[in-house]
């Protein structure tokens, strides 16, 4: 007999919807639930500033207008590229 599932699953999101930073863990889990983690690059909190396309666009515009400054600059890689990072944003959030 097959085990019952707890509910529908969606892809886990590990890339920031706003700036494209990855590698910080699951921002949205397999049930589409935000984990309320704060991106060390743009400062976006998953589930707060990235829950709709409009919020993502507004948050990204503010971050870029501020010079795309890292909220936690000690985590910024020495070879960081804004363009490469932005290219990592999932197509649905661009």
């Amino acid at each position: 007999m097959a085990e019952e599932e707890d509910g529908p699953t969606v892809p886990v999101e590990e890339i920031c919807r706003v700036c494209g930073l990855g590698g910080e863990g699951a921002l949205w889990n397999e049930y589409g639930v935000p984990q309320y983690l704060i991106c060390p690059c743009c400062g976006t909190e998953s589930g707060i500033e990235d829950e709709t396309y409009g919020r993502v666009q507004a948050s990204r515009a503010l971050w870029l207008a501020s010079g795309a400054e890292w909220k936690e600059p000690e985590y910024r890689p020495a070879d960081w590229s804004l363009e490469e990072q932005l290219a990592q944003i999932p197509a649905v959030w661009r």
Side-chain angles (χ1 to χ4, degrees):
M1 179 183 282
E3 292 183 30
E4 289 186 34
E5 293 186 27
D6 292 333
T9 60
V10 296
V12 171
E13 289 187 53
E14 295 182 347
I15 304 291
C16 179
R17 295 174 175 183
V18 173
C19 72
L21 183 69
E24 301 303 311
L27 301 171
W28 292 77
N29 72 15
E30 68 272 17
Y31 301 104
V33 177
Q35 300 304 291
Y36 301 100
L37 298 175
I38 297 174
C39 176
C41 181
C42 67
T44 297
E45 183 173 357
S46 59
I48 303 294
E49 297 143 323
D50 68 347
E51 73 278 9
T52 67
Y53 182 78
R55 293 286 309 239
V56 168
Q57 294 299 306
S59 294
R60 185 177 305 129
L62 286 171
W63 176 65
L64 291 172
S66 76
E69 293 182 26
W70 278 64
K71 297 301 179 191
E72 298 181 42
E74 64 272 19
Y75 292 104
R76 180 180 169 173
D79 62 347
W80 181 69
S81 166
L82 174 61
E83 294 77 23
E84 288 178 20
Q85 186 169 304
L86 290 173
Q88 299 302 309
I89 298 171
V92 69
W93 299 107
R94 288 188 190 157

